[in-house]
Amino acid sequence: MRVALISDLHANLEALTAVLDRIDAARIERIVCLGDLVGYHADPNACVELIRERGIACIAGNHDLAAIGRKDTEHFGAAARVAIDWTRPRLSAANRDFLAGLPLTMRVGGALLVHGALHPEPNTDLHLSNDRRVRASIERLPEHDAEVCFFGHTHRPVAWRLEAGGLARLHQRETHLIPGARWMINPGSVGQSRDGDARAAFAIFDPDARTVTIERVAFDQVACLRKAAAAGLLVKESRLRKAARKAADWVDYGRTALGKRLRRLSGVG
Ligand code: ZN
């Protein structure tokens, strides 16, 4: 049974629907979500409702916990804090309850899922972005009786492999899970990629074939940025604002009201 792994949706409905369409077209039987359903973008309720309707099992991310008031935002960047303050009063009671019920870890196809890191305890906050931190988490896998862990939070697709020869960081579309090694794998972000490729990212895990494949999906970036702009979420110097500036450059929206608005909001002119 193949499993699609989605992470860091961040209330980006255009990216989420594009990814779900691709997953459906590939006839993948099961979808699981590594957390951060909300934050940054302007469709938190629609995204959480879609996940609930589809029966997609999720674990909690730091933005999910912040949005329900279970985590304070003092360590969040300005754009993340503004988005959480905007999201909190708008989340429906049913969606808030759903986020409140999310576990910190889950198992799928023998693999362990966590949003942030496995060390010192499974958590939503530590970024696995350097060798030292990845090694500290990957060394916790035996106590969870797992060879493979999928994580999110950094918004960058990567496969880390620990074996006798040491720790390796792999950036490749398809990873073969050789036995005897331990793995920490990030499928990338659906709603806010941070690896220089603006498309949405997700992964397909085939536990029988022992493969993990990273997929990229284009979506209507201008549409979601327009909604974020209208909601006041394009905070100065934020990633969203920079994305809006790029989107305004990519497409000749110069003569349209949207192009003018995106250019003005992104400080282009
Ligand atoms: Zn995130």
Side-chain angles (χ1 to χ4, degrees):
M1 181 190 68
R2 290 180 303 161
V3 183
L5 294 137
I6 61 176
S7 188
D8 296 277
L9 326 179
H10 286 298
N12 185 334
L13 185 62
E14 285 71 22
L16 178 59
T17 51
V19 163
L20 292 176
D21 286 350
R22 173 76 68 84
I23 291 170
D24 292 344
R27 298 186 183 283
I28 292 166
E29 299 86 348
R30 189 161 175 209
I31 308 173
V32 294
C33 172
L34 295 162
D36 276 2
L37 284 69
V38 302
Y40 294 120
H41 279 278
D43 276 313
N45 282 311
C47 287
V48 176
E49 269 147 34
L50 192 49
I51 293 293
R52 289 170 51 212
E53 274 166 25
R54 300 270 311 225
I56 295 172
C58 299
I59 55 172
N62 54 322
H63 289 253
D64 305 321
L65 298 177
I68 57 169
R70 207 180 270 178
K71 180 179 282 299
D72 69 46
T73 55
E74 64 177 303
H75 299 298
F76 279 43
R81 203 175 324 119
V82 166
I84 291 299
D85 289 345
W86 182 88
T87 301
R88 262 185 197 161
R90 289 173 172 82
L91 267 183
S92 72
N95 288 339
R96 202 177 309 121
D97 287 350
F98 177 80
L99 295 180
L102 299 182
L104 278 180
T105 62
M106 196 167 67
R107 305 286 298 219
V108 64
L112 184 66
L113 314 183
V114 71
H115 183 71
L118 291 179
H119 75 287
E121 298 295 331
N123 66 78
T124 64
D125 303 305
L126 269 182
H127 286 92
L128 293 183
S129 50
N130 62 43
D131 291 31
R132 187 179 51 80
R133 283 187 178 180
V134 171
R135 194 178 276 275
S137 266
I138 219 167
E139 284 173 349
R140 293 300 178 96
L141 276 172
E143 67 199 60
H144 294 280
D145 197 23
E147 284 172 74
V148 183
C149 177
F150 292 100
F151 67 102
H153 200 39
T154 67
H155 298 207
R156 295 167 191 271
V158 64
W160 293 88
R161 180 188 66 208
L162 182 67
E163 54 179 355
L167 186 66
R169 175 187 201 148
L170 309 171
H171 294 280
Q172 52 197 12
R173 179 160 184 263
E174 183 168 297
T175 297
H176 187 66
L177 302 170
I178 49 167
R182 283 182 240 147
W183 301 87
M184 299 284 312
I185 299 175
N186 191 316
S189 166
V190 170
Q192 199 210 62
S193 283
R194 293 181 188 166
D195 66 342
D197 183 338
R199 293 175 300 168
F202 73 100
I204 301 169
F205 171 38
D206 187 332
D208 300 320
R210 299 185 64 92
T211 57
V212 178
T213 311
I214 305 292
E215 300 285 345
R216 303 304 291 242
V217 186
F219 62 93
D220 188 346
Q221 219 197 344
V222 170
C224 64
L225 288 169
R226 182 176 51 182
K227 285 188 259 183
L233 302 179
L234 296 187
V235 173
K236 205 174 178 186
E237 294 305 316
S238 66
R239 291 186 181 87
L240 248 57
R241 181 100 151 220
K242 286 173 187 155
R245 187 180 300 142
K246 266 194 183 168
D249 286 346
W250 288 336
V251 191
D252 181 20
Y253 277 98
R255 283 178 295 272
T256 67
L258 166 61
K260 282 178 191 154
R261 183 168 172 74
L262 279 176
R263 283 174 193 279
R264 187 167 52 75
L265 284 160
S266 60
V268 172

